[in-house]
């Protein structure tokens, strides 16, 4: 029985790491957007909303000019700002020269970061419940898992603050 519980604990830990990496990637995107981004106007070719996803995902296909040639790219976002571009013809975008990164100017990844924190918290709660309800686990195991989550959150906040001070 302990093997099954251990495998669930490892699976929940991987779930929490997924939330951590989601937040880290969003910090990187924000850093690249603020430090190296170039704002320009783009023409909206297609606007679409995918409602069966939760949260709703908005897709905007834009055409912009970079290095003298026209390019067409897709911007996906789960934030609420793309709703206002349903009837618009142009949008302000941020491109990062030398990379394939392209963002809407209003994108801040707040909803995704909240979802990442929710994933970490949910995994912690379920792991603590599994350890608490399963016989044969010592309180040391619960303290060890709790310490791992605090370290994970600490490094997430520390790296985020480190990037904010660089800006």
């Amino acid at each position: 029985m302990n093997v099954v519980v251990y495998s669930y604990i490892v699976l929940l830990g991987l779930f929490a790491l997924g939330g951590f990496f989601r937040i880290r990637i969003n910090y990187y995107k924000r850093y690249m957007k603020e430090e190296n981004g170039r704002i320009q106007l783009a023409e909206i070719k297609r606007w679409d909303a995918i409602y069966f996803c939760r949260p709703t995902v908005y897709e905007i296909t834009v055409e912009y000019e970079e290095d003298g040639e026209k390019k067409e790219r897709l911007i996906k976002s789960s934030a609420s700002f793309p709703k206002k571009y349903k009837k618009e013809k142009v949008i302000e975008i941020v491109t990062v020269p030398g990379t394939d990164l392209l963002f809407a100017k209003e994108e801040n990844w707040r909803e995704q970061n909240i979802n990442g924190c929710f994933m970490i918290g949910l995994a912690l709660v379920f792991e603590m419940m599994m350890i608490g309800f399963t016989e044969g686990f010592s309180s040391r195991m619960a303290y060890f898992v709790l310490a791992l989550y605090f370290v994970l959150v600490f490094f997430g906040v520390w790296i985020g603050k480190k990037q904010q001070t660089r800006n």
Side-chain angles (χ1 to χ4, degrees):
M1 178 168 141
N2 284 344
V3 174
V4 173
V5 173
Y6 278 122
S7 61
Y8 280 137
I9 288 173
V10 168
L11 187 66
L12 286 168
L14 291 174
F15 187 71
L17 277 176
F20 173 74
F21 284 120
R22 170 182 267 184
I23 293 169
R24 288 292 303 129
I25 288 169
N26 290 340
Y27 273 127
Y28 175 74
K29 287 179 184 177
R30 189 174 72 193
Y31 169 76
M32 290 297 284
K33 179 181 157 188
E34 291 173 357
E35 288 295 314
N36 305 319
R38 196 176 78 205
I39 299 173
Q40 61 182 0
L41 289 176
E43 181 182 349
I44 297 175
K45 292 293 186 181
R46 186 177 64 86
W47 184 94
D48 195 20
I50 303 172
Y51 293 109
F52 62 85
C53 295
R54 288 291 170 236
T56 302
V57 176
Y58 300 98
E59 295 180 342
I60 302 173
T61 305
V62 297
E63 184 178 274
Y64 64 101
E65 192 171 318
E66 186 175 41
D67 298 330
E69 62 182 70
K70 289 193 178 250
K71 294 184 179 182
E72 193 169 299
R73 294 278 307 269
L74 178 69
I75 300 173
K76 286 185 176 184
S77 180
S78 58
S80 59
F81 75 87
K83 289 183 211 175
K84 70 180 181 180
Y85 292 107
K86 186 174 186 175
K87 303 285 187 210
E88 298 291 324
K89 297 293 182 202
V90 291
I91 184 173
E92 282 188 310
I93 60 170
V94 178
T95 58
V96 180
T99 65
D100 288 341
L101 297 176
L102 173 81
F103 314 109
K105 185 180 176 193
E106 293 94 349
E107 185 72 71
N108 62 6
W109 298 282
R110 180 176 291 152
E111 290 87 358
Q112 289 181 3
N113 288 344
I114 290 171
N115 288 341
C117 291
F118 182 72
M119 288 170 63
I120 293 170
L122 192 65
L124 173 65
V125 167
F126 280 130
E127 282 189 12
M128 287 294 132
M129 285 176 34
M130 289 182 82
I131 290 171
F133 291 138
T134 305
E135 293 179 16
F137 281 102
S138 65
S139 60
R140 281 190 219 151
M141 178 69 168
Y143 290 134
F144 177 72
V145 169
L146 194 59
L148 281 177
Y149 276 93
F150 280 124
V151 166
L152 186 70
V153 170
F154 172 75
F155 278 119
V157 170
W158 178 67
I159 292 171
K161 293 292 183 191
K162 185 175 168 184
Q163 284 185 354
Q164 284 178 356
T165 56
R166 266 193 245 158
N167 290 345

